[in-house]
Amino acid sequence: MKMIRRAFGFWLILLLPFWASPAQATDSVSFTGNFVQGGLAIGHTLPGARVRFAGKQVRVSAEGLFLIGFGRDAGPTTSLEVVIPGGMAESRILTIGKRDYDIQRIEGLPQKKVTPDAVALKRINADNALIRLAREEDRDRADFSSGFDWPLRGRVSGVYGSQRILNGKPRNPHNGVDIAAPEGTLITVPASGVVAMAHEDMFFTGKTVMLDHGHGLTSVYAHMSEILVKQGQWVAKGASLGRVGRSGRATGAHLHWGVTWFKTHLDPMLLTGPMPRVTPKP
Ligand SMILES: [Zn+2]
């Protein structure tokens, strides 16, 4: 089978320059994923191809896999350029679907967690530096190809992209999904990856874990009551990650789950599909 695929790849490279005009050479790249705001697409191209997305080079795995992500306000179009081995370039304009976002009002947060003082700001900056560092990493691992499951079952109490008004003041949009569940509920690893960060006490997010799924794709787990992984460890999909809590800035026990491609926040729900029905216990 491997031989056949290799032979096929060889012929594709050989034939394309003679066969296809650049506009028709669509065999060199295909996608699975969501071409909408907050979506992630996995590209499949020829091993050794070079890919530029929105003007920046992206990593292509030895198997020809690459990632591109679309932010909350991305689009309506963006550009992709693929150069396959042999030097032929193919340019594409990608159309990104537009979404409507909710307005979410949250009242009753402790004022010092909404408008932090100087001491808190120092902590917030230190926290942000760690998060930024983890998000800059471009690991040569395609752990994301295991696909994503929900990290727990529960009521979705906050969705991606909502414009948030905290204690009456407009703030940054919500860049993840909130899943309400009783304190102590087990959280499992939704997709394999390396633990890029495990922090016991961040100002906003409390006990926080970040996973690195490769090619700039990271995920964050916030407000936990307990962390069950260690920084630097590789964790398999389905392994225990932590327990639901309300540490940091939270009004009740829930998991905040975010997925980010470098600095671009994505919608985790587009990776998993809707929350499966929680079967009530008899
Ligand atoms: Zn949240």
Side-chain angles (χ1 to χ4, degrees):
M1 186 60 202
K2 210 170 181 181
M3 282 296 288
I4 296 169
R5 209 180 299 143
R6 200 171 291 158
F8 182 70
F10 174 73
W11 282 110
L12 205 64
I13 294 162
L14 204 71
L15 289 173
L16 269 174
F18 304 103
W19 248 22
S21 70
Q24 294 168 327
T26 48
D27 287 343
S28 63
V29 59
S30 64
F31 288 102
T32 49
N34 292 289
F35 287 85
V36 292
Q37 292 174 336
L40 177 79
I42 301 181
H44 309 255
T45 185
L46 299 173
R50 277 179 297 129
V51 176
R52 288 178 75 79
F53 171 68
K56 276 176 84 178
Q57 181 118 2
V58 299
R59 174 183 291 282
V60 178
S61 77
E63 295 76 34
L65 290 183
F66 67 92
L67 289 183
I68 51 174
F70 318 114
R72 177 188 188 268
D73 303 309
T77 61
T78 180
S79 66
L80 183 84
E81 191 187 79
V82 180
V83 182
I84 61 165
M88 194 165 127
E90 183 196 329
S91 288
R92 277 200 192 185
I93 299 295
L94 306 173
T95 305
I96 312 301
K98 193 177 167 7
R99 294 172 65 181
D100 292 322
Y101 299 107
D102 295 345
I103 292 178
Q104 186 186 25
R105 287 170 207 278
I106 300 175
E107 302 290 338
L109 285 167
Q111 201 54 41
K112 66 176 172 35
K113 293 271 176 182
V114 176
T115 314
D117 59 22
V119 180
L121 273 176
K122 223 174 151 183
R123 254 181 84 196
I124 292 164
N125 288 338
D127 292 351
N128 286 345
L130 290 175
I131 294 168
R132 211 166 37 236
L133 209 65
R135 286 182 179 152
E136 277 171 7
E137 201 66 47
D138 185 2
R139 264 182 229 263
D140 186 14
R141 291 191 62 109
D143 285 322
F144 56 81
S145 62
S146 69
F148 281 79
D149 285 338
W150 283 96
L152 75 158
R153 301 274 198 271
R155 182 176 63 86
V156 174
S157 57
V159 295
Y160 170 88
S162 322
Q163 178 60 59
R164 302 221 292 183
I165 300 171
L166 306 184
N167 292 0
K169 289 211 172 78
R171 298 287 155 161
N172 287 338
H174 189 229
N175 49 36
V177 173
D178 292 331
I179 308 152
E183 178 135 7
T185 303
L186 185 68
I187 298 160
T188 56
V189 173
S192 305
V194 173
V195 180
M197 194 191 76
H199 197 296
E200 288 294 331
D201 186 21
M202 286 192 147
F203 183 80
F204 286 124
T205 54
K207 289 186 194 289
T208 308
V209 164
M210 288 179 78
L211 297 182
D212 184 331
H213 308 287
H215 291 219
L217 191 71
T218 59
S219 55
V220 67
Y221 307 81
H223 309 303
M224 293 188 286
S225 61
E226 195 185 351
I227 293 175
L228 300 172
V229 291
K230 295 249 178 307
Q231 195 158 322
Q233 182 189 359
W234 183 85
V235 284
K237 184 175 180 168
S240 299
L241 186 145
R243 292 187 183 281
V244 171
R246 46 173 304 163
S247 56
R249 187 176 77 181
T251 48
H254 76 285
L255 174 71
H256 169 93
W257 179 32
V259 176
T260 304
W261 182 61
F262 297 108
K263 286 179 193 164
T264 304
H265 299 298
L266 308 176
D267 185 354
M269 214 186 289
L270 291 173
L271 299 170
T272 58
M275 173 69 76
R277 273 179 178 278
V278 184
T279 354
K281 292 211 175 84

